């Protein structure tokens, strides 16, 4: 299949541009994109477990463990045993974590707004549907391991 017919290259190019822009946006707040994503998800789900946070951020539990360890070392999150399930650690933003998230999100949202401004409401809806179809097609084409 010729390169100019491969949609995967266009999707990858868009993803790389988004990640690079987000990395530049969150760096002044002292965060990486994975750290920002974790703090963002935690802001909506205080007390979430590391495993659930990994699912929310679309990373492996092992990758999230590294992210959380780093965030905890920098005082941006705190983890404590769940009151009933002692093997589960609840994770919450600290005030420093909230401040870092707010600073990073102020810049990251500018990128999201720029993307949204390129499309009408109908086009944004269509784009989401098309991307969902891409995900479904990839899942169908991926051999099960």
């Amino acid at each position: 299949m010729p390169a100019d017919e491969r949609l995967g290259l266009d999707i990858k190019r868009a993803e790389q541009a988004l990640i690079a822009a987000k990395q530049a946006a969150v760096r002044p707040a002292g965060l990486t994109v994975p750290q920002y994503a974790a703090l963002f998800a935690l802001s909506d789900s205080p007390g979430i477990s590391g495993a659930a946070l990994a699912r929310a951020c679309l990373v492996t539990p092992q990758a999230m463990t590294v992210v959380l360890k780093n965030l905890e070392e920098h005082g941006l999150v705190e983890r404590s045993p769940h009151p009933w399930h002692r093997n589960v650690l609840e994770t919450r933003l600290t005030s420093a974590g909230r401040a870092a998230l707010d600073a990073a999100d102020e810049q990251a949202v500018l990128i999201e707004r720029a993307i949204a401004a390129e499309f009408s409401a109908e086009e944004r809806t269509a784009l989401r549907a098309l991307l969902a179809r891409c995900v479904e097609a990839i899942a169908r084409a991926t051999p099960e391991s």
Side-chain angles (χ1 to χ4, degrees):
M1 184 174 197
D4 63 348
E5 292 179 19
R6 294 179 184 223
L7 294 174
L9 292 173
D10 296 307
I11 294 168
K12 183 66 175 174
R13 203 172 289 117
E15 177 197 29
Q16 287 178 326
L18 176 62
I19 295 301
K22 288 269 180 106
Q23 186 61 47
V26 303
R27 187 178 299 120
L31 299 175
T32 64
V33 172
Q35 291 168 340
Y36 165 72
L39 294 177
F40 189 80
L42 277 171
S43 71
D44 281 341
S45 302
I48 192 172
S49 71
L53 189 57
R55 286 189 295 277
C57 294
L58 306 174
V59 299
T60 65
Q62 296 83 355
M64 186 52 65
T65 297
V66 172
V67 169
L68 288 174
K69 182 177 187 282
N70 190 281
L71 290 171
E72 190 172 24
E73 286 173 357
H74 287 89
L76 302 178
V77 300
E78 54 191 12
R79 304 184 78 199
S80 57
H82 186 280
W84 304 309
H85 306 287
R86 291 289 179 194
N87 293 336
V88 175
L89 291 177
E90 294 184 322
T91 307
R92 297 182 190 286
L93 291 177
T94 62
S95 57
R98 169 55 66 187
L101 173 60
D102 289 347
D105 197 48
E106 185 177 319
Q107 297 304 307
V109 77
L110 297 175
I111 296 161
E112 294 291 345
R113 287 185 180 135
I115 295 168
E118 287 295 313
F119 303 98
S120 68
E122 296 81 18
E123 288 173 324
R124 288 190 300 272
T125 299
L127 179 58
R128 283 190 171 104
L130 292 169
L131 290 171
R133 284 175 48 197
C134 287
V135 170
E136 291 166 5
I138 292 165
R140 285 192 306 272
T142 304
E144 294 197 28
S145 333

